[in-house]
Amino acid sequence: MGIFEKIFRHHPPWGVHPDDHKLPAANAPLRSLPLPALLYVPMQQHVGSPARPVVLVGQHVLKGQLIAEAQGNVSAPVHAPTSGRISAIGEVTAPHPSGLAQLAITIAADGADTWCERLPVDDPFALAPEEIARRTAAAGVVGLGGATFPAAVKFNLGRRLKVNTLIVNGGECEPYLSSDDRIMRDRAAEVVDGLRIVMYAIGAREALVGIEDNKPQAIAAMRVAAAAFGNVQVRPVPARYPMGSDKQLIQTLTGKEVPADARAAEVGVLVHNVSTCAAVHRALRRGEPLVERIVTLNGGALTRPGNLLAPIGTPVVDLLRFAGVSGRPARLVLGGPMMGIVLPHARVPIVKGASGILAFDAAEAHVAEAGPCIRCGSCTRACPMGLLPLEMASRIGADDLAGAAGFGLSDCIGCGCCAYVCPSHIPLVQYFSYAKGELSARERSKLRNDATRRLAEERVARLEREAREKAAAAARRKAERDAAKAAAGAAARPLPVRIVKPASEAAT
Amino acid sequence: MWLAIFSLTLLGTLLGLALGLAAKRFHVEASSIVAEIEALMPGSNCGQCGFAGCPRAAAAIADGSAPVTVCPPGGKALAQMLAARLGISIDLTSVADEGPQIAIVAEDICIGCCRCSKVCPTDAIVGAAKQIHNVIREACTGCGNCIDRCPTEALLLQPLPVTVQHWVWPKPATVVIALAV
Ligand code: SF4
Ligand code: SF4
Ligand code: SF4
Ligand code: SF4
């Protein structure tokens, strides 16, 4: 911790303060992307089960029409981002670190961008909270801050756990990104109306809007929009990464600490992102499902960085072209530089959770060679969750995942602070991602084993039952045959010698 | 001579008694560890390990006559769990593990003879006589029992496709952190 911070105990003791690179993109006015010719809408844009297509190839759809329905309790439906013809239902490269393929619906836009019938609500506060949750779910609204958890599922959770405070996350602590900043500046009234609807839906009495103090225009705009509502407070918070993480924002705003392995709702608060609130506003007041979002285009390789309003499913290459690429970007990142994912190429569609596309030039993309750990302890000081990254990583390196879990691996939010400060440039977060994935894979295989064992046991039981039934049936048939024979024999020639025979037959 | 006979008899009796007592006294609930290992095994009794079913393999692993890497469908993950349970360390880098596999039916050459579904230990193959058969992905352990049964070679073992849902981040190159210990 620097001497400066020791004197001015203004910053929280955790986290890092990277150069934020938000300007000039954040100040450029919001632009709309011209409608792309083809949109690739993935079926899994949210946490939970993928949506299931309900349209056929060749079918004509209108903007906002349901094209894939939610499956299971935690899932979200997907709607057509524009009007046009379904030209394919197949696999495209997913915006996922694996670069694997994923099911998507391809729409050839007809250019008219005709909406389907929308059902706006004049007064959402006259509806039952359950109805708001239902409409939010039907509009496919998911957490737009990056977590992409279905919003309505969280509403129901908040109502059940009697949440008192809604925290509205306008932190946007990731460097380079400014889509939340832009939505607060340009659509503050929508955000405030949306968050009031969310408050009503979860039964919260107050709302705290946390905005990092490096966004003065957003704070001013939100203050104006929220002035009429006494229970909505706009609170500037220190700009410090990862302020936008739920647990850190809750602690900064309310002083409450969310226990390990607990959900925020269990301490009486619920967090929703500002863009999610705006999407809820649109879903209710205008009856519009989530079909577009604001995407930050930023990075050294772009000539016109800024924020773009783009339909879901737009290929990244179209966005890059619009933002003007100079040369070949050295790296493409979806999301922020700290927690975002590296895209394999630009023919990947954007999804609901895509807050930004970063095109880095060679200098920005430079990754220093990793060296040996010098046990400086910087990672431990930076970790916002109070973990010991070096201890965890050394155990994971030695394949001792249980040991790493014992050091609180499951609490790691993957924020990347540790790797950011590490003077040896050790890819600490990748160790943690690997270990978390591996542990859940083992858990899955255990469940699978249990299931197959049950199947095998059931099969043995079935075979035994079948053998028993077969034997019983054979015995019955035999008895019947014998009885018939005996009866026939008795009728024909009632000789006592004959009676012995069935017994000897039965014995064989 | 009587003395020799007597002393040796006494020695034998005493030692035998001591051994017998020790066996009782230090009796390890052998069946409990076998049961525990058995619970970790796939349980489909496919026989790929060369033992007659998972319980036998579990017993062999418990008494050390079989390595923890003996079960092919269990793969690396099972070997790791077994090693952890038995408190031994293994070098997994040498374990050939092509990852989980499942059987698939080439639908155009299946004649619906029903031979495969009879031998599947987990009832993972569905189909009726003279109908195309199919493998239920979730239930197949990749044991391979069905493969040779097929008269038309319609059954093949294939690696379980990695999907976005199941993908796991690769482990970073270990050179660096080895020094952190
Ligand atoms: S250990 Fe996890 S939570 Fe802590 S700084 Fe590293 S990535 Fe962030
Ligand atoms: S910051 Fe890097 S070098 Fe320092 S203790 Fe942590 S892992 Fe080791
Ligand atoms: S389908 Fe074949 S490979 Fe799969 S479990 Fe059944 S018998 Fe084994
Ligand atoms: S054994 Fe081969 S041909 Fe017969 S039912 Fe099975 S897959 Fe079809």
Side-chain angles (χ1 to χ4, degrees):
Chain A
M1 198 181 306
I3 181 110
F4 225 71
E5 290 178 19
K6 266 195 188 132
I7 300 168
F8 303 101
R9 200 60 199 250
H10 169 64
H11 282 306
W14 42 258
V16 293
H17 191 93
D19 190 358
D20 72 9
H21 293 280
K22 295 206 191 242
L23 296 179
N27 284 342
L30 183 62
R31 289 169 292 173
S32 284
L33 185 81
L35 197 60
L38 284 172
L39 292 167
Y40 306 87
V41 192
M43 295 296 98
Q44 173 111 52
Q45 307 189 32
H46 48 264
V47 174
S49 336
R52 183 176 39 212
V54 292
V55 287
L56 298 174
V57 174
Q59 191 179 334
H60 187 268
V61 291
L62 294 174
K63 183 175 185 176
Q65 187 178 330
L66 183 78
I67 53 173
E69 61 185 9
Q71 285 192 90
N73 288 336
V74 181
S75 185
V78 178
H79 302 82
T82 185
S83 58
R85 204 175 55 83
I86 309 286
S87 64
I89 300 178
E91 303 211 308
V92 300
T93 305
H96 189 267
S98 64
L100 288 170
Q102 193 196 9
L103 191 64
I105 296 180
T106 308
I107 300 179
D110 60 11
D113 211 24
T114 328
W115 271 99
C116 64
E117 199 195 345
R118 283 166 280 180
L119 296 169
V121 182
D122 287 334
D123 184 10
F125 301 100
L127 296 175
E130 292 80 10
E131 178 62 12
I132 293 188
R134 199 193 60 74
R135 281 176 188 248
T136 307
V141 179
V142 300
L144 296 182
T148 63
F149 193 79
V153 178
K154 247 164 126 181
F155 289 3
N156 294 334
L157 178 76
R159 222 176 29 249
R160 209 174 58 237
L161 295 179
K162 307 239 176 321
V163 162
N164 194 35
T165 310
L166 170 69
I167 302 244
V168 182
N169 190 344
E172 199 163 53
C173 53
E174 278 260 13
Y176 289 92
L177 299 185
S178 51
S179 63
D180 287 349
D181 186 7
R182 216 52 250 184
I183 209 163
M184 289 188 284
R185 291 200 215 178
D186 296 339
R187 298 179 175 176
E190 287 186 16
V191 173
V192 171
D193 184 64
L195 74 87
R196 289 182 57 240
I197 298 173
V198 176
M199 274 169 78
Y200 174 68
I202 62 174
R205 265 189 290 272
E206 56 162 358
L208 303 176
V209 187
I211 307 174
E212 279 197 348
D213 57 13
N214 58 357
K215 306 180 190 55
Q217 295 99 323
I219 295 174
M222 287 294 288
R223 282 217 162 114
V224 171
F229 310 107
N231 53 359
V232 179
Q233 288 177 39
V234 177
R235 296 256 190 97
V237 292
R240 183 118 185 122
Y241 182 85
M243 186 55 89
S245 150
D246 285 6
K247 292 191 178 184
Q248 277 60 45
L249 190 65
I250 291 171
Q251 197 179 12
T252 311
L253 285 175
T254 66
K256 287 179 185 163
E257 193 165 335
V258 183
D261 294 331
R263 286 170 299 196
E266 282 160 39
V267 295
V269 297
L270 205 64
V271 185
H272 274 288
N273 171 274
V274 283
S275 299
T276 315
C277 293
V280 171
H281 161 90
R282 296 214 158 193
L284 269 293
R285 296 265 188 198
R286 302 193 189 184
E288 289 179 5
L290 182 59
V291 292
E292 59 179 18
R293 70 155 298 141
I294 299 179
V295 186
T296 305
L297 267 287
N298 208 345
L302 297 180
T303 49
R304 292 186 301 278
N307 283 283
L308 290 180
L309 189 62
I312 304 294
T314 305
V316 166
V317 61
D318 288 359
L319 292 165
L320 292 180
R321 240 179 242 140
F322 189 73
V325 188
S326 61
R328 201 182 153 72
R331 189 186 309 145
L332 288 174
V333 176
L334 177 94
M338 301 290 282
M339 292 181 75
I341 57 176
V342 176
L343 295 177
H345 48 70
R347 293 177 309 283
V348 172
I350 59 157
V351 284
K352 293 174 182 175
S355 45
I357 300 289
L358 310 180
F360 286 152
D361 58 24
E364 286 170 316
H366 175 71
V367 179
E369 184 107 2
C373 170
I374 55 168
R375 298 190 77 84
C376 63
S378 308
C379 49
T380 306
R381 278 196 298 279
C383 178
M385 302 306 289
L387 303 176
L388 299 169
L390 77 164
E391 297 292 345
M392 295 197 296
S394 63
R395 273 163 187 74
I396 295 165
D399 273 324
D400 176 14
L401 299 191
F407 275 94
L409 179 66
S410 62
D411 283 343
C412 166
I413 54 173
C415 65
C417 290
C418 50
Y420 179 82
V421 295
C422 177
S424 298
H425 309 290
I426 297 171
L428 292 162
V429 189
Q430 201 189 332
Y431 279 94
F432 307 147
S433 305
Y434 153 73
K436 284 186 234 173
E438 194 59 41
L439 285 174
S440 59
R442 280 186 202 172
E443 183 60 26
R444 268 201 306 276
S445 86
K446 201 173 149 305
L447 288 179
R448 196 188 150 92
N449 262 358
D450 292 346
T452 49
R453 182 168 318 115
R454 215 170 37 244
L455 282 173
E457 282 163 6
E458 274 166 14
R459 175 170 188 266
V460 170
R462 176 173 62 84
L463 291 180
E464 276 168 7
R465 197 184 60 235
E466 276 173 8
R468 252 198 332 271
E469 280 168 3
K470 219 182 238 170
R476 203 173 51 240
R477 270 200 308 279
K478 192 167 176 56
E480 275 166 14
R481 224 173 27 240
D482 291 348
K485 229 180 242 168
R493 226 180 324 149
L495 273 180
V497 213
R498 284 271 162 186
I499 297 168
V500 189
K501 207 172 179 194
S504 71
E505 252 178 24
T508 51
Chain B
M1 186 190 129
W2 284 110
L3 189 72
I5 292 176
F6 176 73
S7 60
L8 277 180
T9 314
L10 188 73
L11 205 65
T13 319
L14 281 180
L15 283 178
L17 209 66
L19 267 177
L21 282 177
K24 274 238 154 53
R25 174 88 173 70
F26 301 109
H27 177 66
V28 186
E29 214 29 91
S31 61
S32 87
I33 190 162
V34 172
E36 226 178 291
I37 291 176
E38 210 188 306
L40 295 172
M41 314 280 296
S44 54
N45 299 327
C46 68
Q48 274 189 84
C49 49
F51 291 94
C54 298
R56 296 281 173 81
I61 293 169
D63 67 27
S65 56
V68 290
T69 49
V70 75
C71 173
K76 263 187 194 173
L78 177 67
Q80 245 156 358
M81 275 195 286
L82 290 175
R85 175 60 194 85
L86 296 172
I88 54 174
S89 60
I90 45 164
D91 183 16
L92 278 175
T93 46
S94 60
V95 179
D97 183 1
E98 315 89 81
Q101 293 198 313
I102 52 165
I104 56 153
V105 174
E107 289 170 9
D108 44 350
I109 47 176
C110 168
I111 53 169
C113 66
C114 292
R115 287 190 202 178
C116 53
S117 54
K118 292 210 181 78
V119 296
C120 175
T122 53
D123 277 341
I125 306 178
V126 287
K130 304 222 173 83
Q131 307 286 326
I132 296 170
H133 282 52
N134 229 318
V135 179
I136 302 171
R137 184 187 280 200
E138 285 74 21
C140 172
T141 58
C143 70
N145 277 0
C146 54
I147 304 299
D148 296 339
R149 294 299 170 118
C150 182
T152 64
E153 299 192 352
L155 278 156
L156 280 180
L157 270 187
Q158 282 207 335
L160 192 67
V162 183
T163 62
V164 170
Q165 283 81 14
H166 297 132
W167 180 81
V168 172
W169 271 95
K171 187 177 165 184
T174 44
V175 48
V176 179
I177 288 294
L179 298 159
V181 188

